[in-house]
Amino acid sequence: MTSTLHGAGVSPGLRSGAVATMPPPVPEPTRTTLGPGTAADDAAASITEAVHAVQADLSARAARATGTAVEVLTMTAAMAADPTLLKEAARKVREELTVPARAVWEAADDLARRLESLGGVMAERADDVRDVRERIVAALTGQQPPGVPDLEQPFVLVAADLAPADTATLDPARVLAIVTSGGGPTSHTAILARSLGIPAVVAVRGALDLVDGEVVLVDGREGTVERTPSAEAVARAQSGSHVERSFDGRGRTADGVRVQLLANVADPAAAAAAVAAGAEGVGLFRTEFCFLGRTDEPGVAEQVTAYRAVLAAFPGRKVVVRTLDAGADKPLPYVTADDEPNPALGVRGLRTAVRHPGVLGRQLDAIARASAAEDAEVWVMAPMVATPDEARDFAAACRERGLATSGVMIEVPAAALQSRWVLAQVDFASIGTNDLTQYAMAADREAADLAALSTPWQPAVLSLVGSACAGGAEHGRPVGVCGEAASDPSLAPVLVGLGVTSLSMAPRALGDVAAVLAATSSDLCTELAQIAVASPTAAAARAAVRARLPVLEELGL
Ligand code: PEP
Ligand code: MG
């Protein structure tokens, strides 16, 4: 019998397939010694065998993979072959008579700690060593290796949540859909799924009851997971795969009012995808993603190289570079403290510059150098700005380095309400609706239980967007949106009606958003904005707006 699980639909699309669950983490083996009948040499040889098996498996996967996964898998395979690890683990078996799995665990832990103490590029390898450790231990003990399952057939990935490290090996050609019990609509899993175009439902109650091999039908728009779907429903999902709509590179409403449609990027691969999708430029370059996992600050020259790689893709076009947004969901050990009781309300984003002014200064130096070396029109903005004084100081720091266009993200309700004062200090603003929603609704964006609150359709959030835009309009300053709200084709006309002048989104969303805007007059946008803000609830706002936009149904959105 069919039954349906419900969650938050975060990446649209209808897909059906067999479930593959993410294996649980490999547990730390207990410290035991070899049994009396076991020869130490044989036990040590079993480690060599396991290492070779892991290495062969990773190399084979790298050969089949595409994109960033190739690099990650090749690197992990090379790490598995590291003779230091094998030698030390074998020594522990021979001299201390430690069981092989425990010997590998301890040897890898020592190696990872030594790498961490060296800092720099070496410290970054510590996580790879721990990953390899778990793979070798899994091979020795007959457990499933950690990470995204490697299956021949495409599958629906079911997990508690995905870590940033898992996502590097997520292959859109094989992962039909993602279903998680955790995460919220603006969690990193959701953002990543959308950028890869993989339908996804997060915060699904009962997701972890799904079993390997069972067929489900995932609806990433409605937020449902149907168990034992009918053959007819499966056929519908297989035939109706979403057609990617192209974008002609010029966003506008039906009556020709220009709305710049830009892309959110985090690395050169995403920049290339944005160019291919016709993006008019970049509305959010999340620079911290170039350096996640780093334990120390990248040097200026290294930063210049990373930024240039993205800027080079957009000669003559706008690229909004966001300075490090460290803290809370994006910890960076060299600027954020790990003992804050409430990190989302703590020293994050621009606030880290108070404690580490040099880090911001060096980043701005690097952006200025990258900007001078490339032809992109570089705009710079700071995340998590709450007051006009913070905006003023940031703009001054940009000016000192010759960065002519500086702005702020509006993610804190105080900044949205005070936007006339904030925008008096800077050239532009970009609304981060992911955090603005989190702070307006007092709902952690990563918390699955709060997914119903965490939607930019909340009329209170839309009122804040309207207030931010009104403040910008007083000074003739552009105010864009670069949160996930911008990629919702039914919400885009509402945002435009509230006064938003540009929308920045996952490149895949550009075609749909452009098509809906092109069919909607600016008067209708204004009317839709009024309807949404005057609605009592998020669901009522969405339903009322969708009812006034028949084009959504015509376009299958
Ligand atoms: C936002 O908060 O909406 C935003 C775009 O920034 P991030 O998701 O990186 O916090
Ligand atoms: Mg944010």
Side-chain angles (χ1 to χ4, degrees), residues 167-549:
T167 56
T169 52
L170 212 53
D171 183 352
R174 279 204 264 162
V175 178
L176 294 166
I178 297 171
V179 174
T180 63
S181 60
T186 55
S187 60
H188 290 295
T189 301
I191 294 175
L192 181 96
R194 235 184 323 259
S195 75
L196 292 175
I198 303 176
V201 187
V202 302
V204 177
R205 269 176 209 271
L208 300 183
D209 297 336
L210 295 168
V211 291
D212 281 327
E214 82 166 282
V215 173
V216 291
L217 177 67
V218 180
D219 187 332
R221 181 180 319 285
E222 295 307 316
T224 55
V225 181
E226 211 172 298
R227 301 183 81 170
T228 40
S230 65
E232 200 190 336
V234 170
R236 188 161 34 90
Q238 276 155 0
S239 67
S241 55
H242 183 70
V243 193
E244 231 173 274
R245 226 163 249 116
S246 61
F247 169 47
D248 66 8
R250 205 176 148 76
R252 58 207 176 271
T253 60
D255 50 332
V257 174
R258 280 281 284 132
V259 180
Q260 263 194 338
L261 298 183
L262 308 160
N264 291 354
V265 308
D267 53 33
V275 172
E280 296 185 51
V282 170
L284 170 63
F285 173 14
R286 288 181 162 105
T287 56
E288 63 282 349
F289 280 83
C290 301
F291 307 112
L292 274 187
R294 289 284 294 250
T295 48
D296 62 351
E297 183 190 352
V300 171
E302 194 184 340
Q303 292 189 56
V304 172
T305 307
Y307 306 151
R308 283 189 66 180
V310 167
L311 298 184
F314 296 93
R317 282 189 272 169
K318 169 168 130 183
V319 176
V320 183
V321 184
R322 174 173 77 181
T323 55
L324 287 183
D325 185 23
D329 53 323
K330 315 177 199 84
L332 281 183
Y334 54 95
V335 274
T336 51
D338 57 8
D339 58 353
E340 285 189 308
N342 202 343
L345 300 183
V347 182
R348 57 164 299 198
L350 181 65
R351 298 168 182 188
T352 60
V354 175
R355 209 181 279 161
H356 303 280
V359 175
L360 176 64
R362 285 183 287 277
Q363 182 174 30
L364 291 176
D365 288 340
I367 297 170
R369 274 173 54 185
S371 168
E374 299 293 339
D375 292 329
E377 184 193 323
V378 173
W379 294 22
V380 191
M381 70 179 176
M384 280 292 289
V385 169
T387 68
D389 289 355
E390 289 171 352
R392 178 199 59 209
D393 294 348
F394 180 73
C398 291
R399 269 196 305 275
E400 263 173 41
R401 289 156 176 97
L403 290 162
T405 311
S406 59
V408 295
M409 285 191 77
I410 294 194
E411 311 186 89
V412 178
L417 295 169
Q418 291 283 85
S419 113
R420 64 191 321 187
W421 301 110
V422 172
L423 266 297
Q425 302 292 343
V426 286
D427 303 305
F428 72 98
S430 183
I431 306 175
T433 45
N434 307 337
D435 277 313
L436 187 61
T437 304
Q438 149 161 279
Y439 296 124
M441 302 309 294
D444 183 340
R445 63 193 269 186
E446 303 281 333
D449 287 345
L450 306 178
L453 290 173
S454 301
T455 161
W457 279 102
Q458 292 287 355
V461 175
L462 296 174
S463 292
L464 289 168
V465 170
S467 166
C469 293
E474 279 189 34
H475 304 281
R477 310 270 201 254
V479 176
V481 167
C482 63
E484 294 303 296
S487 62
D488 177 345
S490 51
L491 189 50
V494 174
L495 298 173
V496 170
L498 289 168
V500 166
T501 55
S502 65
L503 296 166
S504 188
M505 64 202 82
R508 282 168 196 274
L510 285 163
D512 290 343
V513 169
V516 173
L517 277 184
T520 311
S521 70
S522 47
D523 283 350
L524 181 54
C525 289
T526 309
E527 206 181 307
L528 294 172
Q530 284 160 354
I531 290 172
V533 167
S535 297
T537 65
R542 182 171 183 267
V545 168
R546 289 189 69 91
R548 298 291 317 271
L549 283 174

